[in-house]
Amino acid sequence: LAEIIHIRPSLSDDAGSRYYVHYVGYDRRLDEWLGIDRLKPASVKETNEASIRPDIWSLTENQERKVTRNQKRKHDEINHIQKTYAEMDPTTAALEKEHEAITKVKYIDKVQIGKYEIDAWYYSPFPDEYGKQSKIWICEYCLKYMKFENTFKHHLTICNQRQPPGGEIYRKCSLSVFEVDGKNHKLYCQNMCLLAKLFLDHKTLYFDVEPFLFYQLTEVDEDGCHIVGYFSKEKESADGNNLACLLILPPHQRKGYGKFLIALSYELAKMERKIGSPEKPLSDLGKLTYRSYWSWVLLEALKDFRGTLTVRDLCQMTCITEEDIIGTLQSLNMTKYWKGQHVICVTPKQIEELLSSPEYRKPQITLDTRYLRWSSQKYSQATKTPQKSK
């Protein structure tokens, strides 16, 4: 079943109106624009309601098969079943309702960036003349966004930028990471946030980028540095967060890049001598990625250690917070609460068995710290200007 959220009138006589639909019981990521030929009125039996609702339609036979085969796979991948408003506390429910109202209709269906045409997942607040387009084009080097393909092609002939602004802090083989200061490169970072919002439902940072640093991961070839993803973090986090937002673009997902950037965020924390955690709450997919990464790091630390280790010891070794360590060890059944403290209880055999399982094995891509060129900076609260640590 599909609920019609919005109708976009036809701009020409030969094309019919388009209907923006939400698939009942599925994540909003799957919402899309359909023609009337792919919809039919739902029956009372299908809706389980006393009368037919004019906003609830069912899919034609061919479209039903498509949803079952393709979109259900996407739905299962995210494994994101939202709580109902009744299950939320009043404040969260009010914020969720406001967020849903603002982002209810996703006008941009597709985005072309580099050689990839990517389906957009969520609404992003591009300016109206761009945000109401069904497709936009984005330069993968300077992140300028455009409404028309001809404009995009012309831009490619005059754009001289071939890598992100800022300094390169990591390069190994074809992987490169750049640190981009939101204050020094405001427009670039704003464009990066607008792009990210197309694939992140609850991202709220779009324009206030000055207090943040962005670490952009790229694949390098003879043509330049091609954007893969990024993470951002506050220059000075009052909550001790070492990561604010993490995105890997869909064509590059399932390659190990997410855990690579998570590892980089913790390596920078070690160099700053700060224990940190990602900004909460995490998305369901974020929880799975972090829990898998934390499990691998802790299992590796325990495997190589001889003697007694406490949670605090692991915290100092890894820069993972005690709260995150305890939660991870509990999920692995490796800790007990005894005499007012959490005690690690595990045998070498248990560790080897866990490390051999697909969920906790070594990440596909690991950070090689020999190729990391970065120094910690302190920022004054008044101006957020960098000051090299002594």
Side-chain angles (χ1 to χ4, degrees):
L1 293 177
E3 178 184 1
I4 296 176
I5 303 297
H6 191 75
I7 301 174
R8 184 158 57 189
S10 170
L11 298 177
S12 61
D13 295 334
D14 57 343
S17 297
R18 304 283 289 174
Y19 298 82
Y20 190 72
V21 302
H22 169 68
Y23 296 105
V24 178
Y26 285 79
D27 187 90
R28 293 200 309 148
R29 166 178 162 181
L30 306 180
D31 295 0
E32 63 177 338
W33 292 94
L34 298 177
I36 192 63
D37 58 314
R38 294 164 69 181
L39 295 167
K40 64 180 181 181
S43 66
V44 172
K45 182 179 179 181
E46 287 176 309
T47 60
N48 290 321
E49 297 195 18
S51 60
I52 296 174
R53 283 177 53 184
D55 60 331
I56 298 292
W57 289 54
S58 62
L59 305 171
T60 59
E61 185 179 351
N62 290 338
Q63 180 67 6
E64 186 71 55
R65 283 200 294 267
K66 178 189 173 187
V67 170
T68 301
R69 186 174 60 253
N70 294 330
Q71 294 191 308
K72 189 174 186 303
R73 176 184 57 79
K74 287 184 181 179
H75 176 265
D76 291 341
E77 278 181 6
I78 10 180
N79 190 27
H80 184 189
I81 307 301
Q82 293 250 13
K83 290 182 179 179
T84 64
Y85 294 138
E87 294 174 311
M88 301 176 185
D89 64 80
T91 302
T92 303
L95 291 171
E96 188 65 28
K97 287 178 182 177
E98 181 183 4
H99 168 79
E100 186 173 330
I102 295 171
T103 65
K104 199 164 191 176
V105 179
K106 174 190 68 183
Y107 289 97
I108 298 173
D109 277 334
K110 297 181 184 297
V111 55
Q112 182 80 38
I113 180 164
K115 64 182 180 180
Y116 298 104
E117 181 184 70
I118 312 171
D119 291 335
W121 295 352
Y122 300 109
Y123 162 88
S124 183
F126 282 89
D128 273 352
E129 66 265 37
Y130 299 91
K132 296 295 178 71
Q133 298 291 117
S134 61
K135 179 177 178 178
I136 60 171
W137 286 260
I138 297 178
C139 174
E140 63 180 323
Y141 300 116
C142 71
L143 300 187
K144 176 181 173 65
Y145 49 86
M146 290 150 272
K147 292 190 292 184
F148 305 112
E149 186 175 10
N150 287 341
T151 309
F152 174 67
K153 288 180 178 179
H154 174 69
H155 172 82
L156 295 182
T157 65
I158 61 173
C159 182
N160 296 320
Q161 192 166 329
R162 285 296 177 269
Q163 66 182 43
E168 186 179 44
I169 65 167
Y170 184 88
R171 170 73 74 92
K172 182 180 180 183
C173 301
S174 62
L175 279 189
S176 178
V177 179
F178 290 81
E179 181 184 67
V180 186
D181 191 321
K183 181 178 181 181
N184 298 336
H185 306 283
K186 187 174 180 179
L187 181 60
Y188 182 89
C189 293
Q190 287 175 341
N191 289 347
M192 186 154 45
C193 291
L194 288 171
L195 170 64
K197 180 62 187 73
L198 292 170
F199 309 102
L200 298 172
D201 190 13
H202 282 77
K203 179 176 174 56
T204 55
L205 168 67
Y206 316 125
F207 304 115
D208 184 23
V209 297
E210 294 188 20
F212 291 83
L213 294 169
F214 296 79
Y215 294 88
Q216 187 171 326
L217 176 63
T218 67
E219 291 179 343
V220 185
D221 61 20
E222 62 274 10
D223 295 321
C225 299
H226 308 278
I227 182 171
V228 167
Y230 80 97
F231 78 86
S232 61
K233 73 168 186 172
E234 290 181 277
K235 295 171 183 175
E236 295 290 341
S237 173
D239 299 320
N241 295 325
N242 60 12
L243 184 146
C245 178
L246 172 66
L247 171 76
I248 303 298
L249 291 173
H252 303 290
Q253 292 178 2
R254 297 180 175 274
K255 297 180 181 179
Y257 289 140
K259 288 182 182 177
F260 175 86
L261 287 180
I262 291 173
L264 176 60
S265 73
Y266 277 105
E267 193 59 39
L268 300 185
K270 289 178 185 178
M271 296 172 75
E272 291 180 296
R273 298 178 182 177
K274 292 181 179 179
I275 294 166
S277 184
E279 189 175 299
K280 306 295 196 310
L282 292 168
S283 67
D284 288 345
L285 192 57
K287 288 176 185 174
L288 291 172
T289 305
Y290 263 96
R291 183 56 56 84
S292 177
Y293 173 77
W294 288 331
S295 297
W296 175 72
V297 169
L298 296 178
L299 289 169
E300 285 291 325
L302 291 168
K303 181 190 74 170
D304 297 331
F305 192 83
R306 295 293 177 267
T308 303
L309 266 181
T310 66
V311 170
R312 182 166 296 180
D313 293 332
L314 285 173
C315 181
Q316 296 297 324
M317 291 167 60
T318 63
C319 282
I320 301 172
T321 64
E322 290 190 27
E323 179 184 356
D324 292 333
I325 289 174
I326 292 169
T328 303
L329 293 177
Q330 286 175 337
S331 72
L332 297 170
N333 294 318
M334 289 171 51
T335 182
K336 293 181 180 179
Y337 196 68
W338 186 67
K339 290 187 177 181
Q341 61 181 350
H342 291 274
V343 179
I344 300 170
C345 301
V346 65
T347 65
K349 183 179 179 181
Q350 285 176 292
I351 294 173
E352 289 299 329
E353 288 176 351
L354 286 168
L355 284 172
S356 64
S357 67
E359 189 176 357
Y360 307 120
R361 67 171 53 139
K362 184 178 180 179
Q364 293 172 257
I365 303 170
T366 55
L367 180 73
D368 191 336
T369 56
R370 296 175 299 173
Y371 296 88
L372 182 60
R373 301 288 181 266
W374 186 82
S375 60
S376 173
Q377 296 179 349
K378 293 181 180 179
Y379 292 85
S380 67
Q381 289 298 319
T383 62
K384 294 293 184 186
T385 53
Q387 302 168 334
K388 290 286 184 181
S389 296
K390 296 180 181 179

